[in-house]
Amino acid sequence: MRHTTHILFGTLFAIPIVSYLSLDPAKASFIIFTALIGSLLPDVDHPKSYINRKSWGIFYRVVLQSTHRGWTHSLFGAFIFTLISTLVFFYLCWDMLYSMVFLFGYLSHLLADSLNPTGVNWLWPKKKKYKIAIIKTGSKGEVIFQAFLVILLALMLTELPK
Ligand SMILES: [Zn+2]
């Protein structure tokens, strides 16, 4: 899936949390940003992914041993990166909410990629890939899916407390 799809899907996971907790705008913005980072991070295993292009390939060098949709696209990867993010948040502010939102963003990426024919190796190191295979990357189906996500986000935003 394209990075824009992951950003939309990750935001979709963060908005209900922001809404439910009635967070102030600054914290709400950082929560959504955290979910977006989580939603983009699994693609650090692809040298030309959006997150690698925006981070000068630093992340790719870290996970160079991985093939695309390998361990970073699994529950193991979600655990490792959430653990790392928890340590960062512990240093910055120690609020478990950020770790939880990061995890939700990360899992949103795996769910979105599971809609793709390539599938996701959720239970890495097992080799089986799980997929629903209804949306090809860059296809009209992905554009329609993005439009659907935008509509859902718009509906959610109109329901946010004022
Ligand atoms: Zn991916």
Side-chain angles (χ1 to χ4, degrees), residues 139-161:
S139 67
K140 284 183 184 173
E142 185 169 10
V143 173
I144 292 168
F145 184 57
Q146 287 179 348
F148 175 71
L149 294 174
V150 168
I151 291 168
L152 275 179
L153 283 170
L155 290 173
M156 283 181 166
L157 291 174
T158 58
E159 295 299 319
L160 283 177

Side-chain angles (χ1 to χ4, degrees), residues 3-13 36 146-147 149-150 153:
H3 70 278
T4 46
T5 305
H6 290 304
I7 288 171
L8 289 169
F9 209 41
T11 305
L12 196 72
F13 276 67
L36 296 186
Q146 287 179 348
L149 294 174
V150 168
L153 283 170

Side-chain angles (χ1 to χ4, degrees), residues 6-18 31-32 35 39 101 103-109 111-112 149 153 156:
H6 290 304
I7 288 171
L8 289 169
F9 209 41
T11 305
L12 196 72
F13 276 67
I15 295 289
I17 296 167
V18 169
I31 287 287
I32 291 170
S39 73
V101 169
L103 177 63
F104 283 2
Y106 203 102
L107 294 177
S108 79
H109 184 112
L111 278 174
L149 294 174
L153 283 170
M156 283 181 166

Side-chain angles (χ1 to χ4, degrees), residues 6 43 68-69 73 109 113:
H6 290 304
D43 278 343
H68 185 46
R69 294 205 184 179
H73 285 71
H109 184 112
D113 276 356

Side-chain angles (χ1 to χ4, degrees), residues 17-125:
I17 296 167
V18 169
S19 175
Y20 179 75
L21 297 176
S22 299
L23 301 174
D24 65 77
K27 190 167 184 176
S29 300
F30 196 63
I31 287 287
I32 291 170
F33 179 74
T34 302
L36 296 186
I37 296 296
S39 73
L40 292 171
L41 211 51
D43 278 343
V44 292
D45 62 0
H46 192 291
K48 293 184 178 172
S49 68
Y50 180 77
I51 194 158
N52 275 325
R53 284 185 279 129
K54 296 299 175 191
S55 64
W56 305 281
I58 293 169
F59 291 113
Y60 183 66
R61 289 187 188 100
V62 172
V63 292
L64 194 58
Q65 305 302 318
S66 178
T67 56
H68 185 46
R69 294 205 184 179
W71 71 268
T72 66
H73 285 71
S74 70
L75 291 174
F76 174 76
F79 172 76
I80 293 296
F81 281 109
T82 302
L83 185 66
I84 293 169
S85 75
T86 300
L87 294 173
V88 171
F89 293 128
F90 177 77
Y91 177 74
L92 293 176
C93 59
W94 190 235
D95 189 338
M96 287 298 291
L97 180 61
Y98 292 106
S99 299
M100 187 180 79
V101 169
F102 177 90
L103 177 63
F104 283 2
Y106 203 102
L107 294 177
S108 79
H109 184 112
L110 302 186
L111 278 174
D113 276 356
S114 295
L115 299 175
N116 185 271
T118 306
V120 167
N121 200 351
W122 282 83
L123 300 176
W124 183 93

